[in-house]
Amino acid sequence: MEAEKKTMSAKDLRKLQLVELEMLLEVDRICRENNIMYFIAYGTALGAVRHKGFIPWDDDLDIRMTRKEFEKFERVCKTKLDTDRFFLQTARTDSEYRWGYAKVRRKGTEYLRAGQEAIKCVSGVSIDIFIMDNIPDNNIMAGIYYLVRRGCIKTLWSVIGVTAESNLLKKFLYRGLRHVPKEVPLGIMEWLGKRANKKATKRMCCMSFYRQDAFRKNGKWYERGTVLSEWFEEAVEIEYEGFMVYICKDCMAYIECEYAEPWKYPPESQRLIHPPKSYNLDVEIDLRGCSIEEQMKKEYLYLTKEDWEKGRGE
């Protein structure tokens, strides 16, 4: 189905969300059975507290793991992942994959975002697993880490930047960077992460992923994606689409670090879905035996801060 410059229908969006939920439940199963700690993150975490599931207009699902936990997850998936339905995608399992974070892909689906045609990796509906590494407490060293990882990420993105970038100087730079073997920037970022992980630090980030946006709140700047290490020392259960999954223990502190106004609903004109270039969701979904028909008809919740606090007994 071609969907260029068009948003998905509400029905297709819900089907996409349920395919992603199926993958989250597979990750949850593997992690519970093998004592691996994971956390839902970003908009998925916000959706859990504000909607008890997906944000109604959200089309992706995010997970965080520390590098130590992800490496265990990666090893276990070699024998425990249901490979009839799923594929754990990393730069090691897919020679064309260019990112330092991982994805779980749903086999039998098609999903391609416009502008990413240049990357010839395995495609399909996916969820992201962001691998967290420590950041040096020393601000100078942290700044060096930031610049190096940003350069590495730009190098990996260069195959897209050659066509997507409008600035002629940057486009020229990307033409050169795209010839750098992906193993070079990926290796640098992995080395940086493991180096910083040798001792405990106050902050963490996904070394291979950064956001350019930040916001100021209560006189303090917040860079989205950079979190306090103490938030991810313990995972607790939270309801998500009728299932129990894991989130960091102090989830509201984390969410308020990612979003300036987490309880403020944007106007409908800003509730945008990323339009894919093409997609095919024609697969049978297994949500631990739950009725897919009922899940498709399920109404989204719009909770308030008071609802959240009341539900926690505060």
Side-chain angles (χ1 to χ4, degrees), residues 154 157-158 161-162 170-178:
K154 287 294 186 182
W157 192 77
S158 61
V162 168
K170 290 182 179 180
K171 186 185 291 285
F172 178 79
L173 179 62
Y174 286 138
R175 284 177 180 171
L177 289 176
R178 66 177 173 172

Side-chain angles (χ1 to χ4, degrees), residues 43 45-58 252 255 259-272 299-309:
L46 178 59
V49 304
R50 206 173 66 179
H51 305 272
K52 292 190 176 181
F54 282 96
I55 295 174
W57 52 93
D58 201 2
M252 279 313 306
I255 289 169
Y259 300 96
E261 298 179 289
W263 294 105
K264 182 178 180 180
Y265 289 96
E268 290 196 21
S269 61
Q270 296 179 18
R271 301 177 186 181
L272 303 177
E299 294 186 3
Y300 295 102
L301 297 176
Y302 289 79
L303 305 179
T304 64
K305 183 178 181 180
E306 290 71 26
D307 293 328
W308 164 254
E309 292 176 346

